[in-house]
Amino acid sequence: MDLPPYATAGQRIWHYAFYVICGLIFFFLIAPILVIIPLSFNAENFFTFTPKMLALDPEGYSLKHYQEFFTSNSWQHALWNSVKIAPAATLLAVGLGTLAAVGLSQEHVPFRRAIMAILISPMIVPLIISAAGMYFFYSRIGLQGTYVGVVLAHAALGIPFVIITVTATLVGFDKSLTRASASLGANPVTTFFKVQMPLILPGVVSGGLFAFITSFDEVVVVLFVGSANQQTLPWQMFTGLREQISPTILAVATILVVISIGLLTAVEILRRRSEKMRGMSPG
């Protein structure tokens, strides 16, 4: 935002100071990533910058840690588990979260605020508490150490993101469209898929992407409710840090960062598309 020509000296100082503060905060958040990425190309088995790397010598850089990730059975097993668990948890979270958001958008639903608070509580409750509760609950019903248990746990963590994004999309939804559809003889299911879903789809997909990222990067819950057979990529990274310090972890972290950036970029594109469809300015 540009300063008006009549701004006082104090306003000008605060304007530029605000940008400096934001830049420092952004650098503080992004600095660890800026360190991890070049270290993942280290030709040595160290977690530090070697003299050759600092001198920008090509011999100091290598792709061997990425090769280790793609050829190691343990890493590929963990990757395959993540690829199986995250999409299943995302689909479940999107389905349940979308239905919950649409239902809670109806004014006649009693105790809407209380129900909403309960559904988004996994975002508020510390993750270790949720994981411990799931562990004791799953132990009693036989889901401890199963793929179904891990998928359900990750879906529970992803549902709040879907509810929030879909609810935000429904704020600008014209309810007269559903009434018009009903007046023309369409049943509620047809109205939802033919009228409502196309308009809220960007919010649904955005929530699904957040749910996918949550499941794909989650490690605490899977440590409690999973077993060695369900060892995911973050779990393998955690184990590697605890038992053997391997730069392959940095290569995997770099890959996850690239995936996260791609998904967040898609979320932003969908957000702008949603606002454009609702007649709002992306700014």
Side-chain angles (χ1 to χ4, degrees), residues 102-112 175:
V102 173
L104 292 174
S105 67
Q106 306 300 319
E107 297 180 355
H108 64 274
V109 176
F111 309 111
R112 286 193 305 161
K175 294 183 180 180

Side-chain angles (χ1 to χ4, degrees), residues 121-138 153 156-157 220-221 224-225:
S121 61
M123 296 181 63
I124 304 170
V125 178
L127 201 55
I128 189 69
I129 296 178
S130 299
M134 291 177 182
Y135 170 77
F136 289 112
F137 178 68
Y138 282 5
L157 298 178
V220 177
V221 170
F224 275 79
V225 303

